[in-house]
Amino acid sequence: MMELVQRASSCFIHTAKFSSPQKRRHLANSSCKSREKKSQTNTTTSSNFARTQSLVVRASDEVDTAVVLDKPTLRPPRFQVFDGSPAPFGATARDGGVNFAIFSMNAVSATLCLTTLSDLQDKRVIEPIPLDPLTNKTGDVWHVFLKGDFTEMVYGYKFDGDFSPQGGHYYDSSQLLLDPYAKAVESRGEFGVLGPEGDCWPQMACMVPSPDAQFDWEGDLPLKLPQRDLVIYELHVRGFTRHDSSRTEFPGTYVGVVEKLDHLKELGVNCIELMPCHEFNELEYYSYNSVLGDYKMNFWGYSTINYFSPMIRYSTAGNLDCGHGAINEFKLLVKEAHKREIEVIMDVVFNHTAEGNEKGPNLSFRGVDNSVFYMLAPKGEFYNYSGCGNTFNCNHPVVRQFILDCLRYWVTEMHVDGFRFDLASILTRGSRFLWDAVNVYGNPMGGDLLTTGTPLSNPPLIDMISNDPVLRGVKLLAEAWDCGLYQVGRFPHWGIWSEWNGKYRDTVRQFIKGTDGFAGAFAECLCGSPNLYQVGGRKPWNSINFVCAHDGFTLADLVMYNDKHNLANGEDNNDGENHNNSWNCRQEGEFARISVKKLRKRQMRNFFLCLMVSQGVPMIYMGDEYGHTKGGNNNTYCHDNYINYFQWDKKEEASPDFFRFCCLMTQLRRESESLGLNDFPTAERLQWHGHSPGTPDWSEASRFVAFTLIDSVKGALYIAFNTSHLPVTISLPELPGYRWEPLVDTSKPAPFDFLTDDVPERDTAIKQYAHFLDANLYPMLSYSSIILVLSPDNDA
């Protein structure tokens, strides 16, 4: 009788005689127990020795003889296994090894899974390390410490527990999950390229940190620019240099952005707001788009997979070096920006994740502990305040600590200067089925119980961020709304949070295009929106002013289209905002009469001038400085093509025209002490005017707003907006011994729209208006704005 033994014990017997089957079983059991004990103390059992090719057992009447036909090759264990520590979370290189720690309150078992990059592609785990609940778990934290060779190794976890969606649990022990605290995620190395066998969601795993990983910051320190002095530029890393005309060595990458930072410096930008750079899957929406003949992508990136990991496919390194290269390239971008006195703000998406609703993939949070990380209804349904399938449970104690740890990491390790929080109103919503204030604050707050998602006047997460010793000193910008809660002017702020001022955008668009009834509201915008921020103790710089952003029309499209044109998205023009407050200047589309094109250029200059003379912090959207058009598409989330790419050849064409105007306007703002005040202007500094001095018109029919601003550098500025379809001649304030000199007039063609000293025939241009100015008058065309500067009257 012959018997095949499939696995060898820790000590192979070449020839042995056993007196009885019972003794054989005893020896085998002893060997197994010894092996298990050894595994728990210092080694794993999965790779102690190579398997034997064959082990044959022969039987006789009284004795069995075991004969090893092929002697196994011994190899040392890959890892030594120790209990580990519950802190810090994530994988941490220390003491000659790596400590792994992860939270999961409801899992009944956990396995740390290590594999190589090549095996990851085949979804093979080569080093599973089961975690003992007695020795590898403290409270709700699973942990283990390993020593060994981690070269080319990546890791993930498998958890087991209840699979009961109605109870809020989605445990599946077959799923390899990402560590929420992983510092880099490995899957595909090249943007837009499918995984093995055309898989849009190939298996992902986490980078194992290396104690040798280093980056030379060259003494880089936070710039800490006063927020009132910022000019923010919303930038998409890939879109900024992916177009062929960028002529960069590494288009579409962090390094590519570095190659073009001098453009931002020339424009007058001193802060870039990066659209999402956390790891996301651009193939999430991958499908053929018959309209354009290409494939839809998740281009914007508002669908985070991991919050600690920089987007690996924005790097030139890709998967090389298991993600360390991507981390260093992001650091390089920050360091080089700081060298140019440019701060870096990250757009972070803590309102939802890429896992979506119950039909979405199990990538990380859902499989680790779904009921903790997401807002759930009583029967396990996903609340959807984000409009993207799920809502991150931000005010749960574990989740808010996770968010704080993440933000601190990007500040301390990656040197970023602040954050813009996407759909930030979700950060103010109460967590779980019932929210118990006693557990959070130690005492009730006007009623103990609140249903999940209830807006909180003092949300714990915002409180913690606002009073954190690391985070309270960085820029904190809130997009103060979500799908059901609009908080512009009312976002819980602790005196330090700023807001994307959506009301500024809407009001300015309405007034500039000539809508009645907005003169008074427009004046509030010019003053930094004191109606929104002054009562709560905030300052003008708490208002982030913008006319255009990634979501909506570009500046050029704002003056070319009355309606959205989103057919290229493949959704029959049903997606995107319908109310854009735009005006096509009397003809729809890019191709128009010369007179219409001139009016459009005038309107673009009006919008940009308004942005630069308003109190608060101006934000420019990428490409608006040269007039980038998306063909009237106001929802370009899915296009990895020319629609979203910065077109550098177009910028070169616009340099003597609109780009020049933008550069000069940012320079004027920077040079003028009064255009970035630390507090709201008062009557001592600012006086309002109408067609005549000191007589502003705030009526419903008014389309004219003018004011003078005392400036310690320029002396005084006279700024006026005529958004009527009729021209007007205005009377200027009289100041004995001084006269007003023209500086900016958006109705004039370049270069006379901004009269710098080097403009050819400048003196002739000024003389054309001398007889008006001598009479303290100035003619303004329809839909135009002007800036005049007070200067001594040498003829007085």
Side-chain angles (χ1 to χ4, degrees):
M1 179 178 180
M2 299 184 62
E3 193 174 331
L4 179 64
V5 179
Q6 296 180 337
R7 293 187 182 273
S9 66
S10 60
C11 181
F12 286 95
I13 304 174
H14 292 273
T15 303
K17 293 184 179 181
F18 305 113
S19 59
S20 67
Q22 289 78 12
K23 189 171 184 179
R24 290 202 305 273
R25 287 194 294 270
H26 172 74
L27 291 173
N29 290 338
S30 298
S31 176
C32 288
K33 291 177 181 178
S34 174
R35 185 165 67 252
E36 290 171 0
K37 183 177 181 181
K38 185 175 183 180
S39 171
Q40 292 173 3
T41 55
N42 65 353
T43 66
T44 65
T45 63
S46 60
S47 59
N48 288 350
F49 298 93
R51 294 192 181 111
T52 58
Q53 294 179 4
S54 62
L55 180 62
V56 179
V57 179
R58 290 186 174 90
S60 63
D61 292 339
E62 294 184 356
V63 297
D64 290 345
T65 303
V67 179
V68 177
L69 300 182
D70 294 310
K71 184 176 180 180
T73 302
L74 304 181
R75 67 181 175 93
R78 184 186 289 268
F79 298 111
Q80 292 178 290
V81 182
F82 303 90
D83 292 348
S85 169
F89 286 159
T92 308
R94 62 174 178 82
D95 302 330
V98 178
N99 189 78
F100 298 85
I102 186 170
F103 163 87
S104 182
M105 178 172 65
N106 292 297
V108 297
S109 70
T111 301
L112 173 66
C113 303
L114 293 109
T115 189
T116 64
L117 281 175
S118 58
D119 286 300
L120 179 67
Q121 299 297 320
D122 297 324
K123 300 183 179 180
R124 285 198 301 264
V125 173
I126 64 172
E127 297 287 342
I129 301 174
L131 304 186
D132 187 335
L134 297 178
T135 59
N136 298 115
K137 188 180 182 187
T138 303
D140 296 324
V141 182
W142 302 79
H143 49 80
V144 66
F145 182 78
L146 303 183
K147 287 187 177 182
D149 182 8
F150 289 97
T151 304
E152 293 296 312
M153 297 292 286
V154 291
Y155 77 97
Y157 288 94
K158 291 185 177 182
F159 288 97
D160 202 0
D162 288 339
F163 184 86
S164 55
Q166 286 194 339
H169 304 302
Y170 285 80
Y171 288 108
D172 182 351
S173 60
S174 68
Q175 294 277 345
L176 183 65
L177 304 171
L178 296 174
D179 179 357
Y181 278 78
K183 303 307 185 291
V185 172
E186 303 291 313
S187 59
R188 298 171 294 104
E190 189 175 348
F191 192 95
V193 176
L194 296 170
E197 300 179 355
D199 192 356
C200 291
W201 288 95
Q203 182 61 61
M204 292 176 282
C206 311
M207 176 194 77
V208 179
S210 169
D212 301 323
Q214 294 181 345
F215 179 79
D216 184 6
W217 279 106
E218 300 181 73
D220 178 72
L221 293 172
L223 296 178
K224 295 186 177 181
L225 300 178
Q227 187 159 311
R228 66 177 181 271
D229 295 337
L230 294 186
V231 175
I232 300 176
Y233 187 91
E234 189 186 23
L235 181 149
H236 188 284
V237 168
R238 180 170 171 84
F240 194 50
T241 62
R242 186 63 188 86
H243 196 266
D244 290 342
S245 63
S246 74
R247 296 189 292 274
T248 53
E249 185 176 358
F250 301 103
T253 66
Y254 302 120
V255 178
V257 175
V258 171
E259 295 182 64
K260 292 294 188 180
L261 285 175
D262 289 338
H263 162 76
L264 301 179
K265 190 71 176 177
E266 180 185 7
L267 178 58
V269 167
N270 57 7
C271 179
I272 52 177
E273 181 180 301
L274 300 177
M275 288 177 66
C277 289
H278 290 150
E279 185 68 25
F280 67 91
N281 181 14
E282 73 277 12
L283 300 179
E284 182 175 359
Y285 313 138
Y286 189 79
S287 61
Y288 182 70
N289 186 346
S290 59
V291 180
L292 295 182
D294 62 1
Y295 289 85
K296 294 174 68 172
M297 299 276 186
N298 174 12
F299 184 76
W300 284 350
Y302 289 93
S303 194
T304 307
I305 288 173
N306 186 279
Y307 293 99
F308 281 83
S309 307
M311 176 58 169
I312 202 167
R313 290 173 297 287
Y314 283 171
S315 70
T316 67
N319 280 336
L320 296 178
D321 202 18
C322 290
H324 290 98
I327 293 173
N328 285 344
E329 288 184 31
F330 185 92
K331 290 179 177 179
L332 175 68
L333 168 56
V334 175
K335 181 176 72 172
E336 292 301 317
H338 285 177
K339 286 181 179 179
R340 293 163 176 80
E341 297 293 310
I342 298 174
E343 293 191 331
V344 178
I345 289 176
M346 292 187 69
D347 194 340
V348 292
V349 192
F350 287 112
N351 57 81
H352 76 284
T353 77
E355 292 184 308
N357 59 21
E358 67 279 358
K359 297 180 181 179
N362 279 21
L363 307 173
S364 178
F365 305 98
R366 175 174 296 148
V368 172
D369 211 322
N370 182 75
S371 65
V372 168
F373 285 104
Y374 295 114
M375 286 189 189
L376 304 178
K379 292 185 178 180
E381 305 96 330
F382 289 86
Y383 280 113
N384 190 20
Y385 296 113
S386 68
C388 298
N390 64 52
T391 305
F392 214 47
N393 201 17
C394 296
N395 281 297
H396 185 284
V398 170
V399 182
R400 65 176 185 257
Q401 187 61 55
F402 165 81
I403 293 174
L404 253 72
D405 290 343
C406 179
L407 297 175
R408 287 195 196 108
Y409 172 80
W410 285 97
V411 171
T412 59
E413 295 297 324
M414 309 296 265
H415 288 205
V416 302
D417 302 282
F419 306 94
R420 179 263 185 187
F421 294 82
D422 183 66
L423 297 184
S425 287
I426 284 175
L427 277 60
T428 72
R429 292 183 178 271
S431 71
R432 299 188 64 90
F433 306 153
L434 294 175
W435 187 85
D436 187 352
V438 176
N439 290 338
V440 178
Y441 293 105
N443 55 72
M445 298 177 60
D448 292 348
L449 301 179
L450 297 171
T451 58
T452 302
T454 300
L456 308 174
S457 58
N458 295 289
L461 174 62
I462 305 299
D463 187 348
M464 292 175 70
I465 294 174
S466 304
N467 293 288
D468 184 84
V470 172
L471 300 177
R472 67 173 288 107
V474 305
K475 275 73 176 180
L476 301 171
L477 283 55
E479 184 185 39
W481 57 82
D482 61 26
C483 284
L485 181 61
Y486 192 77
Q487 294 179 301
V488 171
R490 298 180 292 106
F491 190 84
H493 55 81
W494 274 263
I496 61 175
W497 283 75
S498 301
E499 297 174 11
W500 263 31
N501 192 343
K503 293 185 178 181
Y504 177 97
R505 172 200 59 204
D506 298 341
T507 299
V508 168
R509 287 186 180 191
Q510 291 275 28
F511 182 77
I512 294 293
K513 76 185 183 76
T515 305
D516 286 342
F518 284 91
F522 181 72
E524 293 274 9
C525 292
L526 293 171
C527 293
S529 301
N531 57 317
L532 298 177
Y533 302 112
Q534 191 169 30
V535 174
R538 282 187 280 181
K539 303 294 184 179
W541 45 264
N542 289 123
S543 174
I544 306 302
N545 301 330
F546 67 103
V547 175
C548 300
H550 69 274
D551 191 2
F553 279 153
T554 66
L555 186 58
D557 289 348
L558 189 64
V559 300
M560 283 198 291
Y561 297 94
N562 281 356
D563 304 304
K564 66 182 182 182
H565 294 265
N566 295 1
L567 286 174
N569 300 351
E571 300 179 42
D572 296 325
N573 209 39
N574 291 318
D575 63 305
E577 177 60 57
N578 291 318
H579 305 288
N580 297 284
N581 296 321
S582 60
W583 181 44
N584 62 14
C585 297
R586 306 189 186 103
Q587 191 171 352
E588 188 81 355
E590 186 172 358
F591 302 101
R593 299 184 299 274
I594 293 177
S595 60
V596 170
K597 289 185 175 182
K598 288 181 177 179
L599 177 56
R600 288 172 176 175
K601 287 186 176 181
R602 193 186 314 169
Q603 287 290 74
M604 288 174 63
R605 288 191 284 263
N606 290 335
F607 279 118
F608 201 88
L609 185 149
C610 173
L611 197 59
M612 290 301 143
V613 302
S614 298
Q615 302 300 325
V617 176
M619 186 185 78
I620 307 166
Y621 175 54
M622 182 183 84
D624 278 351
E625 69 268 34
Y626 70 81
H628 179 77
T629 175
K630 296 181 179 181
N633 193 326
N634 69 0
N635 189 31
T636 61
Y637 71 97
C638 59
H639 295 291
D640 180 33
N641 53 43
Y642 68 93
I643 294 176
N644 279 318
Y645 294 167
F646 190 107
Q647 297 178 28
W648 292 90
D649 51 348
K650 300 294 184 183
K651 177 256 176 177
E652 295 302 326
E653 294 172 10
S655 289
D657 190 355
F658 190 59
F659 180 66
R660 169 187 175 271
F661 181 83
C662 293
C663 292
L664 291 172
M665 281 304 309
T666 58
Q667 181 180 342
L668 175 64
R669 179 181 178 87
R670 186 169 59 251
E671 293 175 350
S672 301
E673 166 266 344
S674 62
L675 295 182
L677 297 175
N678 193 51
D679 216 331
F680 298 100
T682 64
E684 295 178 355
R685 180 187 286 271
L686 184 149
Q687 289 82 40
W688 297 105
H689 308 291
H691 293 159
S692 299
T695 58
D697 182 2
W698 306 122
S699 69
E700 282 289 307
S702 175
R703 297 185 184 183
F704 185 86
V705 171
F707 62 99
T708 50
L709 199 59
I710 304 301
D711 190 282
S712 62
V713 177
K714 302 292 184 182
L717 301 173
Y718 178 91
I719 302 171
F721 297 85
N722 177 30
T723 65
S724 170
H725 62 287
L726 300 173
V728 62
T729 299
I730 58 175
S731 297
L732 302 173
E734 292 190 34
L735 294 169
Y738 294 88
R739 64 181 284 123
W740 294 103
E741 296 287 346
L743 178 64
V744 179
D745 188 334
T746 62
S747 70
K748 298 183 180 302
F752 302 106
D753 53 353
F754 201 118
L755 290 174
T756 55
D757 292 339
D758 60 349
V759 170
E761 301 179 358
R762 177 181 182 274
D763 292 340
T764 301
I766 291 178
K767 287 180 181 179
Q768 291 177 346
Y769 284 87
H771 58 294
F772 281 101
L773 295 170
D774 287 343
N776 243 31
L777 301 173
Y778 193 90
M780 291 186 68
L781 291 186
S782 60
Y783 303 108
S784 69
S785 50
I786 62 171
I787 300 178
L788 309 179
V789 180
L790 194 67
S791 62
D793 187 354
N794 297 325
D795 297 329

